[in-house]
């Protein structure tokens, strides 16, 4: 009997004040909600303290949910250079926390996320949230940053249907574009 | 007999391509060279790979030299927003690697480094290198990024003469601005 292997994806939407995250399970072409939320840093805090909070919480999420892959949204270059630098630092810290735990990190632009989840790159934020709710069969709408974390995790799943095959090269076969255990 | 305690400082000058580092020992008002060098990432590499290299090498430096404090230079906001974002990500990753190893992180602007090491904020890069060589009694001039790493470590030492007192609050006394063990 062919039982598709489950891949667990941690999606991260980095921000200088709020970092959204979402964890999903992918089994064949089905996606299941596991967890989501957001990591908030204290605005007045010094940078090292904010980075420590981001790293600590990402570490806790990895310890709790044990994902196989991480997907991180690429951030916009802001018109304000100081804001761009701050956002870059938060994003670099998040990726560092993921790579230091040995997680393979995949990056997706906001355009790729919208195209994968909604089907078109110019989709509004609400459309992304709506599709996240539908695709994962959620009973309520998650907070905006948490929804973005789930959306980037879904993007990774949708763009890599052969994902589980990579994780278990000996026991997997891809048949007609679907992976099977 | 009063023997001043030694504090070991790791100075980091973050960059998207080259991250300079310098390790010094501070004993009273004396500074001793321990190590310096630079971490180079592969320009064409994807971001997660570059961040992994930065984190891995900073981890190795910490394991090898066991510093008590880390000092990180604040980076310039570049005119190019994409370059600013990239630099921010590298800097965020470096600080993440330091905080995840439990090191207290102190930040200094380039102005503060120049003022501390050369005595004036408008000093040229060569003057900073020259003073690093003199203050640490080096027999040669270190590579530019390594010298910047040493300069930010020296800045932390020069601006915190009571450093060792903080590390060993029971055994230290500050007498006439000097700390003594």
């Amino acid at each position: 009997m062919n039982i598709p292997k489950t891949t667990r994806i941690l999606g991260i939407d980095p921000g200088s004040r709020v970092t959204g995250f979402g964890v999903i399970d992918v089994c064949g072409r089905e996606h299941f909600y596991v967890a989501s939320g957001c990591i908030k840093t204290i605005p007045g805090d010094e940078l090292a303290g904010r980075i420590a909070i981001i790293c600590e919480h990402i570490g806790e999420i990895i310890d709790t949910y044990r994902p196989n892959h991480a997907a991180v949204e690429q951030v916009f270059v802001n018109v304000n250079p100081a804001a761009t630098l701050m956002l870059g630092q938060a994003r670099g810290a998040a990726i560092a926390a993921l790579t230091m735990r040995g997680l393979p990190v995949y990056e997706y632009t906001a355009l790729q996320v919208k195209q994968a989840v909604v089907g078109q790159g110019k989709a509004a934020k609400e459309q992304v949230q709506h599709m996240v709710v539908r695709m994962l069969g959620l009973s309520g709408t998650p907070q905006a940053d948490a929804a973005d974390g789930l959306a980037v995790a879904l993007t990774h799943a949708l763009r890599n249907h052969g994902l589980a095959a990579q994780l278990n090269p000996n026991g997997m076969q891809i048949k007609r574009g679907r992976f099977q255990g």
Side-chain angles (χ1 to χ4, degrees), chain A:
Chain A
M1 205 174 88
N2 287 336
I3 303 162
K5 271 269 184 191
T6 298
T7 303
R8 184 160 283 186
I9 304 169
L10 166 59
I12 299 273
D13 178 36
S16 51
R17 274 179 285 183
V18 183
T19 294
F21 72 90
V23 184
I24 63 166
D25 275 345
V26 185
C27 189
R29 282 183 186 266
E30 289 190 281
H31 313 114
F32 304 95
Y33 175 87
V34 178
S36 67
C38 49
I39 303 164
K40 287 182 183 168
T41 59
I42 303 147
D45 249 19
E46 55 172 8
L47 179 70
R50 293 163 80 170
I51 282 179
I53 286 174
I54 293 170
C55 292
E56 197 182 307
H57 282 83
I58 287 180
E60 279 173 18
I61 294 161
I62 295 170
D63 286 343
T64 307
Y65 301 108
R66 307 250 165 226
N68 311 109
H69 284 192
V72 182
E73 187 157 334
Q74 274 174 21
V75 292
F76 283 111
V77 167
N78 202 293
V79 282
N80 176 346
T84 301
L85 183 68
M86 188 53 79
L87 184 53
Q89 290 175 147
R91 187 170 193 268
I95 295 175
L98 298 166
T99 62
M100 283 172 87
R101 295 292 188 118
L103 267 183
V105 176
Y106 301 84
E107 299 184 70
Y108 298 101
T109 63
L111 186 80
Q112 287 173 321
V113 172
K114 286 175 178 179
Q115 272 169 343
V117 175
V118 182
Q120 56 130 322
K122 287 187 176 176
K125 218 169 171 62
E126 293 72 25
Q127 281 177 277
V128 174
Q129 272 181 293
H130 175 75
M131 285 307 293
V132 165
V133 170
R134 274 194 63 178
M135 289 168 83
L136 295 170
L138 304 180
S139 55
T141 305
Q143 185 268 358
D145 300 283
D148 286 340
L150 290 166
V152 69
L154 280 167
T155 301
H156 183 59
L158 293 163
R159 289 174 64 106
N160 298 276
H161 282 305
L163 209 58
Q166 295 167 23
L167 286 174
N168 187 354
N170 299 323
M172 290 287 163
Q173 282 184 307
I174 296 172
K175 286 184 185 167
R176 293 176 196 174
R178 294 194 61 150
F179 63 86
Q180 301 181 323

